[in-house]
Amino acid sequence: SQKIEQNSEALNIQEGKTATLTCNYTNYSPAYLQWYRQDPGRGPVFLLLIRENEKEKRKERLKVTFDTTLKQSLFHITASQPADSATYLCARSYSGGGADGLTFGKGTHLIIQP
Amino acid sequence: NAGVTQTPKFQVLKTGQSMTLQCAQDMNHEYMSWYRQDPGMGLRLIHYSVGAGITDQGEVPNGYNVSRSTTEDFPLRLLSAAPSQTSVYFCASSYGGGEYNEQFFGPGTRLTVL
C-alpha cells in the first residue's frame, strides 16, 4: 500500500533561515501531493498542492517541489518566522479534491527559534 | 460561511456506549471524509463520501458507520465504543470539481472511551 513518510522528529530552525521539510512516498507515484499546517488543538489547514507532472509550486514564502525519480517532495519556508512554528503534514491524493480521501504522513514539527 | 463544523468538541464515553459525531459544511462541497488522529500515527482515513447517498471505507473503518443523506451533513456513528477508539476525530470537505481543490477541516472532536 502507499505510504507517506515524513521525518517526525522536531526540526529546529533559526529565524530568518529557510526551513526545508521532506516527504517521501513508497510504491507508485501519487497524482497529487498536498501540504497542510496544523497548530495544537486545531484541524489541518491547506497550504499547497502539487501535481505529479509539476516540478515546483510557489505561494508567497512557501515553495514545494515534486521529484518522481527520488519519490520525494520538499517543502520550503523562506525567511522563516516564529509564527511559522507548527506541525506540517504531507498527504497524497489521486484526485485534486481528494475524492478518495487523503493518505497522510505523520507530520514534522517545525520550531522557529528567535 | 461557517465552513466545516463539528459537534461535540469533547466527549467521554464508557465502553459499549454508542454515539454520533456530527459534521456539517455550508460550502456546498461534494466530497466529505472522516479522519482520526492518534499520537505517533498521524491522520488516518475512516470513511469518505463523494456525494449524497454515496459512501466508502477508508483505511480504518471497523467500528464506525456513516451515511450521507444530504450534501451538508456527514455524521460518524460509533456503534459500541471501545478504548481503542479514543482519539481526535476530524471531518473534512472539498469542492470536488476541477483539480486544485483544498480540503477544509473542522476543528475536531476529542473523544475519550473509558
Side-chain angles (χ1 to χ4, degrees):
Chain A
S1 62
Q2 179 73 276
K3 286 188 178 179
I4 301 294
E5 296 170 345
Q6 295 182 259
N7 185 351
S8 57
E9 295 177 2
L11 180 62
N12 285 273
I13 300 294
Q14 190 174 5
E15 181 178 7
K17 302 291 186 184
T18 296
T20 299
L21 285 66
T22 303
C23 174
N24 296 299
Y25 60 88
T26 60
N27 300 329
Y28 41 92
S29 178
Y32 302 85
L33 278 175
Q34 304 187 21
W35 285 87
Y36 288 79
R37 169 182 173 142
Q38 187 175 25
D39 292 287
R42 294 182 169 269
V45 175
F46 174 83
L47 296 174
L48 280 172
L49 177 152
I50 188 166
R51 299 171 60 184
E52 62 177 334
N53 62 355
E54 296 176 323
K55 294 211 178 293
E56 182 179 298
K57 290 286 284 291
R58 290 176 184 263
K59 179 182 177 182
E60 298 172 352
R61 294 185 297 113
L62 308 180
K63 184 177 83 172
V64 62
T65 62
F66 196 163
D67 188 327
T68 54
T69 301
L70 295 178
K71 295 190 175 182
Q72 181 179 84
S73 174
L74 298 179
F75 179 79
H76 306 273
I77 304 175
T78 59
S80 59
Q81 306 164 1
D84 294 326
S85 299
T87 296
Y88 290 85
L89 307 172
C90 175
R92 73 87 178 143
S93 62
Y94 293 102
S95 68
D100 57 345
L102 302 178
T103 298
F104 281 89
K106 295 180 182 179
T108 297
H109 184 42
L110 177 64
I111 301 168
I112 305 300
Q113 297 177 330
Chain B
N1 288 346
V4 179
T5 58
Q6 292 184 238
T7 56
K9 287 190 181 339
F10 302 93
Q11 183 70 48
V12 178
L13 292 177
K14 294 181 180 179
T15 297
Q17 287 185 314
S18 62
M19 79 158 294
T20 299
L21 278 64
Q22 301 292 345
C23 174
Q25 51 89 12
D26 61 357
M27 298 172 282
N28 201 31
H29 284 170
E30 288 297 314
Y31 300 162
M32 296 187 74
S33 49
W34 276 102
Y35 297 85
R36 60 177 290 173
Q37 188 172 36
D38 304 293
M41 297 294 294
L43 282 150
R44 291 181 292 169
L45 181 65
I46 304 171
H47 285 284
Y48 63 95
S49 169
V50 297
I54 306 170
T55 65
D56 207 344
Q57 297 180 350
E59 179 186 356
V60 288
N62 292 342
Y64 307 96
N65 270 0
V66 292
S67 60
R68 184 107 178 262
S69 56
T70 67
T71 298
E72 295 78 20
D73 300 297
F74 191 41
L76 178 72
R77 282 182 284 277
L78 279 69
L79 308 173
S80 177
S84 61
Q85 294 179 303
T86 294
S87 187
V88 181
Y89 291 85
F90 290 101
C91 178
S93 74
S94 61
Y95 172 53
E99 285 193 322
Y100 298 91
N101 298 305
E102 62 187 276
Q103 298 254 336
F104 292 83
F105 282 83
T109 294
R110 185 174 294 273
L111 175 68
T112 301
V113 182
L114 303 175

